[in-house]
Amino acid sequence: MVLSDQDILRYLEKGKIKITPAPDLTKHLGSCSVDFRLGNTFRVFEHSKYPYIDFQSGIDINGLMHKVEVPDGEAFTVQPDEFVLAATLETLELADDVMARLEGRSSIGRIGIIVHSTAGLFDPGWVGTATLELGNLGRMPVRLYPGMRICAFTFEMLSSPAKVPYRQKPGNKYAGQIEPEASRFVEDLTS
């Protein structure tokens, strides 16, 4: 069951959902979601240097990307057909009986920006910033500013607490991340 605004407030008060820094709930709380803002760090593929991505080669995907830090007040331009990683400004921490879903915002989607390709599920026990899989489906470049509301999270209560929450799961790859993280799929091939 998706939590309503009043349930989200109750879960925030109880500490079952923690958002740091605390959002301005007068602006960021929707009927069943909380808006998160865009952080300052981006990872961009160096597609002109590398002909392809091959997981079997054992290459560190971070090595195929360069990191861009955008100061507050300045913009990052996402070109048409470009794919970049970014992160939310806020850190999210979930109790062992709460899961979250990352959702795009309609206002951003209507200009062609998608905020996640497939990774929209945040398991119970998650802690960290959310890596955004930004893509520009439009024909015009779009300037994105750190601090702007970029996505929303909805929350659901589980039928019971997870036996092994994400942060305790052996081999979890992304718990505790503080900036956009490239794929660690190669770890799946070796385990």
Side-chain angles (χ1 to χ4, degrees):
M1 179 181 321
V2 176
L3 300 184
S4 70
D5 52 1
Q6 58 187 329
D7 289 327
I8 292 170
L9 290 171
R10 191 166 43 85
Y11 275 50
L12 285 166
E13 287 173 14
K14 288 180 167 183
K16 292 175 89 52
I17 300 170
K18 295 179 185 173
I19 304 171
T20 309
D24 178 349
L25 295 174
T26 62
K27 295 178 184 174
H28 298 183
L29 180 64
S31 301
C32 62
S33 64
V34 177
D35 289 343
F36 276 52
R37 297 171 294 165
L38 182 63
N40 299 74
T41 305
F42 299 81
R43 288 196 187 276
V44 181
F45 278 99
E46 304 244 27
H47 57 84
S48 61
K49 282 185 172 180
Y50 304 97
Y52 52 81
I53 297 170
D54 180 0
F55 287 115
Q56 299 256 342
S57 70
I59 192 161
D60 175 17
I61 302 296
N62 273 317
L64 302 178
M65 307 179 92
H66 71 273
K67 186 161 79 167
V68 177
E69 294 284 343
V70 177
D72 288 337
E74 293 186 24
F76 181 90
T77 303
V78 184
Q79 299 296 330
D81 295 325
E82 187 174 33
F83 176 82
V84 300
L85 298 179
T88 56
L89 182 65
E90 292 84 4
T91 297
L92 175 64
E93 185 173 351
L94 299 173
D96 298 349
D97 61 351
V98 179
M99 61 161 283
R101 292 189 191 276
L102 174 70
E103 307 287 350
R105 293 188 65 231
S106 176
S107 297
I108 303 298
R110 291 173 192 222
I111 56 173
I113 298 296
I114 58 169
V115 296
H116 75 85
S117 303
T118 60
L121 174 68
F122 289 75
D123 288 339
W126 168 263
V127 61
T129 59
T131 292
L132 304 172
E133 302 156 343
L134 297 175
N136 183 350
L137 302 177
R139 295 185 65 165
M140 298 176 67
V142 176
R143 299 185 84 193
L144 301 177
Y145 292 84
M148 69 184 285
R149 290 184 293 155
I150 191 75
C151 65
F153 273 95
T154 59
F155 305 94
E156 298 179 44
M157 181 178 65
L158 273 63
S159 58
S160 62
K163 186 174 179 180
V164 182
Y166 186 78
R167 68 183 170 280
Q168 295 173 359
K169 182 179 175 183
N172 84 60
K173 297 187 219 63
Y174 306 108
Q177 67 186 24
I178 56 171
E179 61 182 37
E181 293 288 337
S183 173
R184 295 184 183 160
F185 183 77
V186 72
E187 293 175 20
D188 291 349
L189 299 175
T190 60
S191 59

